[in-house]
Amino acid sequence: MKYPDSIHPDFSARDALQGVDPLQVSRWSPRAFTKSVIAEADVALLFEAARWAPSCFNAQPWEFYVSTDKTFDDYLNLLVEGNQAWAKNASLLGFVVVKKTFSHNGKANAYAEYDAGAAWMAMTLQARQMGLYTHGMAGIKHDEVTAYLKLDDDHKVICGLAIGVAAAPSILPDELAAKEKPSPRKPLSEVLRR
């Protein structure tokens, strides 16, 4: 399903080279969401996209824990207070978790977080294609998330996430509304070294 994209962000601060897929450039992390239901089939599509991300030894070390109607408030309470203020309007909240060791040999997987980032980006681009937005969050209560999800020592919580339909910035407190716009990027010369 294609969700209605009723906002029109100003992407003029983004100066991508001609030929870059517009989906990449239109990816950003809003805080203003309008409470909307995401169909279960669409939730499956989001994380199906993540499933196809590349990973070291094809270990696919990522796990996405995502709220349901029943657990949404529990997930919300696992965010730091500042994130709770805006994330309460997201459709889904969740956490990215990695398995710290390889299943095939039990050795430490030094690339698990890198691989989880690839899965996150795949899911995020799928969300944009569907008219949805994502917002990753470092501001979570890591120890409480670990306990709530009953994770063992071989798993690590990386970050939180919010997914939903973007809303006008006016629904946010003034200090957040002022920041509610797509940000620019470093020049290519600072990223590509030759």
Side-chain angles (χ1 to χ4, degrees), residues 4 14 43-44 51 81 99-100 130 145:
R14 295 189 166 183
V43 173
R51 191 169 77 92
E81 190 175 331
K99 184 176 185 304
K100 297 188 285 187
M130 296 165 66
V145 174

Side-chain angles (χ1 to χ4, degrees), residues 82-147:
N83 284 337
Q84 288 181 30
W86 60 265
K88 65 185 178 189
N89 292 319
S91 300
L92 298 171
L93 297 175
F95 300 100
V96 181
V97 172
V98 294
K99 184 176 185 304
K100 297 188 285 187
T101 59
F102 288 110
S103 295
H104 73 278
N105 63 12
K107 293 183 179 178
N109 181 352
Y111 307 100
E113 293 177 38
Y114 176 84
D115 293 345
W120 158 259
M121 188 62 170
M123 185 275 294
T124 293
L125 292 176
Q126 179 69 34
R128 282 305 306 127
Q129 187 178 48
M130 296 165 66
L132 298 168
Y133 288 86
T134 62
H135 190 116
M137 295 173 275
I140 63 175
K141 302 171 185 173
H142 282 83
D143 291 341
E144 291 180 37
V145 174
T146 298

Side-chain angles (χ1 to χ4, degrees), residues 131-175:
L132 298 168
Y133 288 86
T134 62
H135 190 116
M137 295 173 275
I140 63 175
K141 302 171 185 173
H142 282 83
D143 291 341
E144 291 180 37
V145 174
T146 298
Y148 179 83
L149 299 178
K150 299 181 173 77
L151 300 176
D152 61 29
D153 290 342
D154 194 28
H155 288 80
K156 178 181 178 181
V157 179
I158 303 301
C159 64
L161 61 92
I163 304 171
V165 175
S170 58
I171 71 162
L172 296 170
D174 290 344
E175 68 276 4

